[in-house]
Amino acid sequence: MRRIRYEHIGGPGALFQEEVPVPEPGAGELLVRMEAIGVTLPVVRKVREGARPIPLGGELAGEVVRVGEGVSGYAPGDRVTGLCFGHGYAEYALLNTAMASPIPAGATAKDAVALVRSGVVALGALEAARPEMGESVLVTAAASGIGHLALQLARLRGASRVVAAVGDPAKADFVRSLGADTVVTYAQDSWGEPVDIVLDAVGGELLTPAIKALAPGGRLVAYSSGGGTIEAYDLLVGGKSAIGFQVAVVARTQPQRYAGWIEELWRLFDEGALRPAVHAEFALADAARAHATIEGRANQGKVVLVP
């Protein structure tokens, strides 16, 4: 089978394709024939600036072809999606059943990789802020795979005002089409009227203006892999707070809650209330182009590899 890998840190140019045997599923694992692979910013960053090369994991969707020892609830022919921590940029990949969920009838593999993992992060980050009906929400990286879902979920959860923060004003029409009332760019001196909640997917230097954008008592939820530092005094002024969110922690410690989020996402999708967007599809061999699209912040929605 074909697989994408890298042997040194160096960005998209470090990726290469190789031929390797199809893996065998171990205990609790599914062997999945890939139909769609979601490209995520954390994986892109690891190829560019990680400590060492690692398997290219991430979101996947496809058909189960074999099951490992002790697997129940899944069988060959089932369509599944989930998060892979091994080699996921491939024609076949191994998926642990703990990180797998069925793809409902009527949904495509591309729908699944655009919706489930990104939607769980967006929904979990929003819930971490403990929003109240009528509060205002600002989303950074609002046109990203996660951000464009967070905009919609904030509105569906009762936000009175939804603000989209983007790096490029050319993305304004896209985020407005998803329900943003106001669009701001990172370079603006002010992000407008203060908000109750900021959902931040960028981190780094953007944390300072994000905290500044909060109203008194406001909450920032940081779920970025970009790091960054928040000054304690900036929180003290106005009684603001910063909350860290990582979906893997919830999946590991609160599996029922994690499963409930997935169920809610599919329900909203089935009702037509939540619209995952795919910015571009790339062949597996073009994984470098997919990574370059993410690095260039060009995407409006999800970037997907199709083996």
Side-chain angles (χ1 to χ4, degrees):
M1 70 170 190
R2 295 175 298 129
R3 182 175 76 182
I4 303 298
R5 193 164 64 87
Y6 67 114
E7 292 181 339
H8 64 273
I9 304 303
L15 300 177
F16 64 90
Q17 182 173 284
E18 62 181 359
E19 289 284 341
V20 296
V22 175
E24 288 292 331
E29 291 183 328
L30 309 173
L31 176 65
V32 180
R33 181 187 295 113
M34 307 291 265
E35 297 175 10
I37 303 158
V39 181
T40 67
L41 180 58
V43 172
V44 170
R45 280 176 168 160
K46 286 172 183 174
V47 177
R48 167 67 67 186
E49 56 195 38
R52 63 187 184 281
I54 62 170
L56 292 165
E59 307 151 346
L60 60 83
E63 180 183 345
V64 176
V65 293
R66 285 201 294 278
V67 301
E69 183 181 351
V71 169
S72 62
Y74 294 98
D78 290 345
R79 299 172 65 244
V80 297
T81 186
L83 193 59
C84 168
F85 297 105
H87 289 285
Y89 283 29
E91 292 180 290
Y92 294 84
L94 298 175
L95 178 62
N96 192 290
T97 55
M99 299 305 296
S101 63
I103 299 175
T108 69
K110 285 175 281 191
D111 290 332
V113 295
L115 177 72
V116 176
R117 182 262 179 188
S118 294
V120 164
V121 174
L123 185 53
L126 182 61
E127 285 201 359
R130 298 186 178 180
E132 296 182 7
M133 186 68 67
E135 288 191 313
S136 51
V137 180
L138 182 148
V139 179
T140 67
S144 69
I146 297 172
H148 87 286
L149 296 175
L151 287 176
Q152 298 174 68
L153 289 165
R155 179 71 75 200
L156 291 168
R157 285 294 188 93
S160 61
R161 180 167 59 96
V162 179
V163 181
V166 295
D168 185 349
K171 298 178 179 180
D173 288 344
F174 173 67
V175 293
R176 282 199 179 96
S177 74
L178 299 172
D181 298 299
T182 306
V183 182
V184 300
T185 61
Y186 303 146
Q188 291 178 211
D189 292 335
S190 170
W191 289 358
E193 184 181 346
V195 296
D196 299 300
I197 295 168
V198 171
L199 304 180
D200 178 54
V202 180
E205 295 180 355
L206 210 65
L207 287 172
T208 297
I211 291 291
K212 186 178 179 181
L214 288 172
R219 294 90 70 199
L220 177 141
V221 178
Y223 60 95
S224 165
S225 61
T229 302
I230 295 173
E231 292 290 338
Y233 183 77
D234 292 341
L235 298 177
L236 179 63
V237 176
K240 303 171 183 180
S241 60
I243 303 159
F245 174 75
Q246 186 181 57
V247 72
V249 173
V250 179
R252 184 173 62 251
T253 62
Q254 302 177 62
Q256 290 183 331
R257 188 181 188 194
Y258 181 82
W261 286 342
I262 294 175
E263 183 179 346
E264 179 176 352
L265 292 168
W266 280 123
R267 176 181 60 78
L268 293 170
F269 173 82
D270 186 58
E271 293 171 355
L274 186 60
R275 297 180 290 137
V278 173
H279 171 79
E281 302 173 23
F282 294 92
L284 184 64
D286 289 331
R289 289 177 57 207
H291 275 223
T293 299
I294 298 287
E295 282 197 342
R297 300 293 196 272
N299 60 301
Q300 298 181 44
K302 196 70 182 174
V303 173
V304 177
L305 296 176
V306 181

